[in-house]
Amino acid sequence: MLSFSSILRFHVLFLILYTLQLDFSSTTATTPTKIGNGYRLISIEESPDGGIVGLLQVNRKNNIYGPDIPLLQLYVKHETGNRLRVHITDAEKKRWEVPYDLLPRESPPALKQTVGGSRNNAHISTAAADYPGTELIFSYKANPFSFSVIRKSSGDTLFDTRSDDSDPYSDLVFKDQYIEFSTKLPKDASLYGLGENTQPHGIKLYPNDPYTLYTTDISAINLNADLYGSHPVYMDLRNHGGAAAAHGVLLLNSNGMDVFYRGTSLTYKVIGGVVDLYFFAGASPLAVVDQYTALIGRPAAMPYWAFGFHQCRWGYHNLSVVEDVVESYKKAKIPLDVIWNDDDHMDIHKDFTLNPKNYPRPKLLEFLEKIHARGMKYIVIIDPGIGVNTSYGVYQRGVANDVFIKYQGKPFLAQVWPGAVNFPDFLNPRTVEWWGDEIRRFHELVPVDGLWIDMNEASNFCNGLCTLPAGRICPNGTGPGWICCLDCKNITKTRWDDPPYKINASGTQVPIGYKTIATSANHYNGVLEYDAHSIYGFSQTVATHRGLRALEGKRPFILSRSTYVGSGHYAAHWTGDNKGTWADLKYSIPTMLNFGIFGIPMVGSDICGFYPAPTEELCNRWIELGAFYPFSRDHANFYSPRQELYQWKSVAISARNALGMRYKLLPYIYTLSYEAHMTGAPIARPLFFTFTNETRLYGLSTQFLLGSSLMVSPVLDKAKTKVHALFPPGTWYNIFDMAKVIVSKESHYRALHAPLHVINVHLYQNAIIPMQRGGLISKEAKATPFTLVVSFPLGATVGESKGNLFVDDDEIPEMGLGNGRSTYVDFYAKVSRGTVKVWSDVQESKFALEKGLVVEKVIVLGLKGFGTAVEIEVDGNEEVVDASKIEMSSIEHEIVEEREDERENDEMKNVMVEVRGLELPIGKKFVVSWKMGIEG
């Protein structure tokens, strides 16, 4: 849920800034070009763990942004064959880092423990040398100290910190509250990442756009601003002579930072912490994400129902409205799996409570029993701010357990929806235990199926150090809840509240404590909010995940607004408060794709927009697109008119079409979620993830892939009934009408028909995707028989295709094999010598056999000829086929908008062949084959 005043304030502000075309590069004009004089390497040797460790001494001090730290410890290690770490910190004093228990990883050597301490270690040249690994080489020079990271196989320099006289950036600068370093970049490098922000130019980083990383409660309608999450990671994709290679770079630092991308260089300006760089060798985009999530944590296992459709609204004033919404979806025959409550269910906005009048517990439990029996789920919101109220049990227990963030020894007072609040300190182990206990108590009150954690940047309606005067009611109910009603005074005179370098916070360089927790406040063990600010939402996510896991041993579902590196290991994300505009519809695609790179594949935007009211046409187009977001939810603002999908007859038609296909594709999407959980692979991906050598795709932000093979090409503009879609080379089949096919010999655009209720989704060649019959609830859909759709290049007489399927008991916490409650199947298909063959290889068949899952149909696309006499084997035994059950038919493919140079003079027809009535057990290996009637 939003801070509504923030939306209005920042929307107006950004319209002004955007109109004036103020760009981030202007900030550099007010700061010295060369801030520091660099460091020199004075000693270096091998560390006991196989890395290298050295000492850096400042060349010449200055006091710009504070004094330089005189001695730094350098630690470098090839942690794996494809991951290199470069860690630089104060050699004499421990500095803030992202806690190792919150984000587990290897620890660097203790300060001053190895350098000069052991004469047994081999000393390395302090002039210049290389430290090679399997895939990457760390190369350094001594004075001024600089380093580069080189790809071993190609010699390509991936990261280069040298600063020449002509460069607009310094050598390494390391001060207590200001760190700066840079890398040179080739002009043709394509960069992605560095979020969370709304990027108007699409998914590729755009030179001189602002990239500020600091978790902030300003809505997603604001362009080029630091939003709810902080992800200081980027992917660099380069193409030399048609051969592409990607690598990734993570700066693991939670302090506020500006990143200046100039096209030929990238400069980090960070206001604290350490330099902790991780380099991921790739070399494919998928490999980069695999290596990245291997470090930060694989994406969370999601329950099957989470991939169904979700409906939410801030403003479901009572339970009867929620009941009506559920029944209206059912009556309209629009799929719905999950119904949500924003804070309407709460007692005066207080976490873990029920409004006794509008959401009486007996009636709510009756409602939940009804929808649970149907297979539906229920999720509610909780905010981190705990209302200061001596009669409120959650607050009382929080005080008793001393769980709140402090300012000068007292709980820091802020204001959010309940009025005066204190913020739990999730870095405190006692807080984590208390939070888990509150989740347990609430679940006993209301058996919710997941939790939605919001406002966790953390958001505060007030600024500074505040008090609640005796006798004052805050809020008093006479004005908007987001107007500060506490007595507050400015506390920006400390160096933590007013650091020497001003990051571009909120796009306007407001104080970094603006509308959040004062950055001089203290967490557990004296940790400053200044350092820990951007991990607040992440720490709450970890605590919430732990609490949910302890409930019933079920797989948790958490949706979090604020995210950090590693959040995807625990939670899904929605992109915050987007507007119901055509521009925001477009922005939703690159934002979604970025979060796939960040290791948070379960992501989507508020369908139809959070506010204001969308037009009917826009909502049609948005549900067509949103039906293919990994996380698909309609969500609206308190002040907007109702926009459930059944509110317009036309939108209901589009919803039944698009969501109907989504529910048929749920086994494919769920299998992609398993792949994400095992390897980090995004569910929704840019096209270049599959077609990495196609440079025309590097900036494409209006289309995307689900997995490697299913391309979504939505209408994103008003009053359009055609969409110009870019098709990479190969054969593409319309998933809604598989007889229709597009063939590309090279990447080029095609104009596709897209009337109001149509979205174009195409399946690529050489794939096998599992589908089911669909349904109105995922529980029903997942019990229906399967269809295997096999795609070959059009007119194939020789070819191979493959795909897979993962099925499990999706309520169990762990997602994987070896638990007796899951089955994994590889599917293969081959056409050769006039024969078509489709077969499977099964791992752990027990679960699928117990569930009675069967394949009822095989559809093969792109064949050159029909065929007869289907032969079937199951577990190596030839089945006796009842000819009355097996049906085989074919339909001639229709080549859509065929270009002249693609026509073939061939009398043989290209056909899709459908084999029905199979009843093949998913849990057994099978072979289906037939002759096409031609010789290959």
Side-chain angles (χ1 to χ4, degrees):
M1 186 170 59
L2 82 174
S3 165
F4 195 70
S5 62
S6 296
I7 283 184
L8 297 178
R9 178 177 68 253
F10 286 106
H11 184 45
V12 171
L13 182 59
F14 270 80
L15 282 175
I16 294 169
L17 292 178
Y18 202 68
T19 302
L20 294 175
Q21 295 182 334
L22 298 177
D23 87 40
F24 193 44
S25 60
S26 65
T27 311
T28 60
T30 62
T31 55
T33 301
K34 301 284 188 178
I35 293 167
N37 300 294
Y39 286 75
R40 64 184 179 276
L41 184 67
I42 58 174
S43 69
I44 189 167
E45 61 192 36
E46 292 180 6
S47 61
D49 63 356
I52 57 174
V53 62
L55 274 180
L56 302 173
Q57 188 174 62
V58 69
N59 275 328
R60 191 169 65 255
K61 295 181 180 180
N62 64 46
N63 287 312
I64 302 170
Y65 302 139
D68 298 274
I69 292 175
L71 278 178
L72 302 177
Q73 176 177 281
L74 166 71
Y75 170 66
V76 185
K77 186 182 179 185
H78 293 280
E79 292 189 338
T80 70
N82 48 45
R83 185 173 81 223
L84 169 69
R85 184 183 191 183
V86 178
H87 183 277
I88 303 174
T89 188
D90 189 329
E92 299 176 300
K93 181 181 176 183
K94 188 172 178 61
R95 291 180 61 81
W96 163 259
E97 298 186 52
V98 176
Y100 282 76
D101 58 349
L102 191 66
L103 187 64
R105 59 204 189 275
E106 293 184 26
S107 295
L111 300 177
K112 300 191 295 184
Q113 184 172 318
T114 54
V115 175
S118 170
R119 299 300 94 190
N120 296 323
N121 291 332
H123 288 260
I124 307 167
S125 170
T126 54
D130 290 342
Y131 169 49
T134 306
E135 299 290 340
L136 300 173
I137 299 170
F138 176 81
S139 181
Y140 63 89
K141 294 183 180 178
N143 192 14
F145 172 74
S146 66
F147 71 87
S148 57
V149 178
I150 300 163
R151 188 182 299 282
K152 199 171 185 180
S153 59
S154 65
D156 193 20
T157 299
L158 309 183
F159 202 85
D160 183 357
T161 67
R162 289 173 302 153
S163 173
D164 301 325
D165 291 341
S166 60
D167 291 323
Y169 48 82
S170 305
D171 288 305
L172 174 64
V173 181
F174 206 122
K175 300 165 186 282
D176 190 26
Q177 290 183 265
Y178 181 81
I179 298 170
E180 180 188 326
F181 62 95
S182 303
T183 178
K184 299 178 184 295
L185 293 168
K187 288 183 179 180
D188 60 349
S190 296
L191 269 59
Y192 310 88
L194 296 180
E196 174 181 12
N197 59 10
T198 301
Q199 298 174 194
H201 298 107
I203 188 173
K204 275 181 66 172
L205 299 190
Y206 195 81
N208 299 319
D209 268 1
Y211 297 97
T212 298
L213 281 70
Y214 192 71
T215 61
T216 308
D217 174 17
I218 62 172
S219 68
I221 67 171
N222 297 294
L223 307 180
N224 291 327
D226 45 317
L227 301 182
Y228 315 105
S230 176
H231 295 273
V233 61
Y234 71 85
M235 179 186 293
D236 181 336
L237 177 60
R238 304 177 188 180
N239 192 304
H240 299 304
H247 67 275
V249 180
L250 166 67
L251 172 61
L252 190 56
N253 182 303
S254 65
N255 290 82
M257 69 181 77
D258 290 331
V259 185
F260 291 80
Y261 174 48
R262 301 180 179 88
T264 56
S265 66
L266 195 75
T267 297
Y268 295 86
K269 299 189 175 189
V270 193
I271 60 172
V274 300
V275 176
D276 195 3
L277 286 163
Y278 290 85
F279 299 91
F280 309 94
S284 70
L286 273 178
V288 171
V289 181
D290 184 2
Q291 294 153 17
Y292 178 58
T293 56
L295 172 70
I296 67 166
R298 299 297 194 191
M302 293 288 162
Y304 198 90
W305 54 261
F307 294 95
F309 182 68
H310 304 243
Q311 177 61 50
C312 184
R313 175 181 174 80
W314 178 27
Y316 287 148
H317 301 293
N318 56 52
L319 180 59
S320 63
V321 178
V322 176
E323 291 174 317
D324 179 69
V325 170
V326 171
E327 291 308 309
S328 295
Y329 266 95
K330 185 179 179 182
K331 183 178 178 181
K333 292 182 168 50
I334 300 171
L336 179 65
D337 258 76
V338 190
I339 187 71
W340 295 57
N341 263 129
D342 211 309
D343 77 345
D344 305 292
H345 68 284
M346 295 181 183
D347 180 21
I348 321 176
H349 306 289
K350 299 194 301 290
D351 281 348
F352 305 120
T353 64
L354 284 179
N355 183 311
K357 179 181 178 182
N358 296 330
Y359 285 82
R361 182 171 182 257
K363 290 188 176 180
L364 180 57
L365 292 179
E366 184 181 331
F367 167 70
L368 294 184
E369 186 176 359
K370 179 181 177 181
I371 67 169
H372 283 156
R374 192 186 296 177
M376 291 184 62
K377 305 296 180 180
Y378 177 63
I379 295 174
V380 300
I381 198 170
I382 48 173
D383 295 341
I386 301 299
V388 176
N389 184 328
T390 54
S391 64
Y392 173 34
V394 178
Y395 173 72
Q396 292 173 330
R397 290 185 290 272
V399 171
N401 285 281
D402 192 22
V403 303
F404 298 117
I405 292 172
K406 303 287 182 59
Y407 192 89
Q408 294 179 346
K410 297 179 180 179
F412 177 78
L413 192 69
Q415 181 189 328
V416 202
W417 298 111
V421 300
N422 295 149
F423 287 113
D425 175 12
F426 294 103
L427 298 183
N428 185 339
R430 286 195 306 274
T431 307
V432 175
E433 295 296 329
W434 161 82
W435 187 253
D437 185 58
E438 296 303 335
I439 289 173
R440 178 192 59 79
R441 290 169 181 268
F442 182 61
H443 195 265
E444 290 175 355
L445 185 72
V446 186
V448 296
D449 300 288
L451 289 174
W452 172 18
I453 53 178
D454 189 23
M455 307 287 285
N456 53 349
E457 292 73 30
S459 179
N460 180 3
F461 297 161
C462 299
N463 288 302
L465 186 61
C466 303
T467 58
L468 177 61
R472 179 185 295 178
I473 299 174
C474 173
N476 59 19
T478 61
W482 56 81
I483 302 300
C484 182
C485 54
L486 303 175
D487 282 350
C488 304
K489 65 179 181 180
N490 191 340
I491 53 170
T492 57
K493 292 183 180 179
T494 75
R495 68 189 184 105
W496 309 117
D497 296 298
D498 186 24
Y501 175 78
K502 309 296 187 289
I503 63 170
N504 195 40
S506 302
T508 57
Q509 291 190 329
V510 298
I512 58 172
Y514 181 73
K515 296 288 186 177
T516 188
I517 300 167
T519 44
S520 52
N522 289 107
H523 291 256
Y524 181 66
N525 277 349
V527 169
L528 284 165
E529 169 70 8
Y530 179 86
D531 294 313
H533 172 81
S534 286
I535 62 170
Y536 187 81
F538 176 42
S539 64
Q540 186 197 17
T541 302
V542 175
T544 304
H545 189 272
R546 178 175 170 179
L548 286 176
R549 278 288 293 261
L551 282 180
E552 297 176 334
K554 288 187 176 182
R555 190 173 299 177
F557 178 83
I558 301 166
L559 184 72
S560 179
R561 188 170 77 175
S562 185
T563 59
Y564 184 70
V565 174
S567 287
H569 189 56
Y570 305 96
H573 174 65
W574 94 107
T575 62
D577 302 335
N578 53 293
K579 290 183 72 175
T581 67
W582 292 96
D584 285 72
L585 175 66
K586 292 186 182 75
Y587 301 150
S588 74
I589 296 177
T591 304
M592 169 183 67
L593 297 180
N594 260 335
F595 272 90
I597 294 172
F598 297 153
I600 309 178
M602 189 61 163
V603 61
S605 296
D606 284 347
I607 292 169
C608 298
F610 183 67
Y611 86 103
T615 65
E616 182 175 351
E617 181 192 4
L618 175 62
C619 206
N620 269 277
R621 294 308 192 187
W622 212 318
I623 186 54
E624 289 169 3
L625 168 59
F628 298 95
Y629 292 156
F631 173 63
S632 183
R633 186 183 72 157
D634 181 302
H635 179 39
N637 171 31
F638 186 95
Y639 301 94
S640 297
R642 297 281 291 273
Q643 64 181 45
E644 293 85 4
L645 302 179
Y646 54 78
Q647 297 288 349
W648 300 273
K649 287 184 178 180
S650 70
V651 176
I653 294 170
S654 293
R656 284 191 289 268
N657 288 346
L659 288 173
M661 180 56 70
R662 179 188 182 90
Y663 274 62
K664 291 176 182 177
L665 288 167
L666 281 178
Y668 175 70
I669 296 170
Y670 189 67
T671 301
L672 291 176
S673 81
Y674 171 70
E675 182 184 351
H677 182 61
M678 301 306 291
T679 70
I683 297 171
R685 310 171 189 176
L687 267 67
F688 69 75
F689 267 56
T690 294
F691 305 95
T692 312
N693 289 329
E694 296 289 320
T695 56
R696 293 186 69 181
L697 306 177
Y698 288 4
L700 185 64
S701 303
T702 53
Q703 298 166 246
F704 60 95
L705 292 171
L706 289 177
S708 60
S709 303
L710 206 60
M711 182 171 71
V712 182
S713 306
V715 172
L716 300 173
D717 296 294
K718 183 179 179 180
K720 298 293 185 183
T721 57
K722 285 189 175 182
V723 60
H724 290 271
L726 186 57
F727 282 83
T731 303
W732 296 88
Y733 299 94
N734 186 325
I735 199 68
F736 287 91
D737 183 354
M738 288 181 259
K740 292 182 178 178
V741 59
I742 287 175
V743 181
S744 293
K745 291 190 175 179
E746 58 185 24
S747 290
H748 67 279
Y749 281 91
R750 291 288 179 96
L752 304 176
H753 292 291
L756 186 60
H757 305 307
V758 170
I759 181 169
N760 281 274
V761 182
H762 288 83
L763 175 64
Y764 192 53
Q765 66 188 34
N766 303 325
I768 303 176
I769 62 169
M771 297 176 67
Q772 286 175 288
R773 292 180 182 177
L776 297 182
I777 296 175
S778 65
K779 180 182 177 181
E780 299 170 355
K782 73 182 296 191
T784 62
F786 285 81
T787 294
L788 297 182
V789 180
V790 181
S791 62
F792 288 116
L794 188 67
T797 56
V798 176
E800 295 182 354
S801 300
K802 60 183 178 180
N804 45 50
L805 172 67
F806 177 80
V807 293
D808 72 343
D809 177 355
D810 67 296
E811 292 287 296
I812 60 175
E814 301 303 328
M815 187 185 206
L817 298 175
N819 52 32
R821 298 167 77 180
S822 56
T823 297
Y824 184 85
V825 186
D826 283 304
F827 298 113
Y828 303 93
K830 185 175 183 179
V831 57
S832 176
R833 300 175 182 265
T835 298
V836 180
K837 180 181 174 183
V838 181
W839 72 99
S840 69
D841 187 20
V842 183
Q843 297 181 53
E844 302 190 18
S845 62
K846 178 174 175 286
F847 177 79
L849 291 174
E850 288 177 349
K851 293 297 181 182
L853 303 177
V854 298
V855 174
E856 66 174 349
K857 189 190 304 182
V858 172
I859 299 174
V860 183
L861 309 176
L863 293 177
K864 181 71 74 175
F866 176 40
T868 56
V870 175
E871 296 180 359
I872 298 175
E873 289 182 9
V874 176
D875 275 352
N877 299 313
E878 187 172 336
E879 293 288 299
V880 178
V881 178
D882 185 345
S884 65
K885 289 186 176 181
I886 304 297
E887 298 179 10
M888 194 173 188
S889 61
S890 68
I891 300 175
E892 185 178 349
H893 281 297
E894 175 190 348
I895 301 179
V896 180
E897 297 185 14
E898 182 185 15
R899 301 195 322 181
E900 289 292 330
D901 60 353
E902 291 170 358
R903 291 181 181 167
E904 296 183 10
N905 296 318
D906 195 328
E907 295 180 359
M908 295 293 294
K909 302 298 184 183
N910 300 314
V911 296
M912 60 176 281
V913 174
E914 189 171 306
V915 183
R916 297 179 296 278
L918 293 173
E919 297 184 6
L920 301 170
I922 286 286
K924 293 184 178 181
K925 297 180 181 181
F926 62 78
V927 180
V928 179
S929 61
W930 66 88
K931 293 283 187 180
M932 284 197 301
I934 64 169
E935 293 300 322

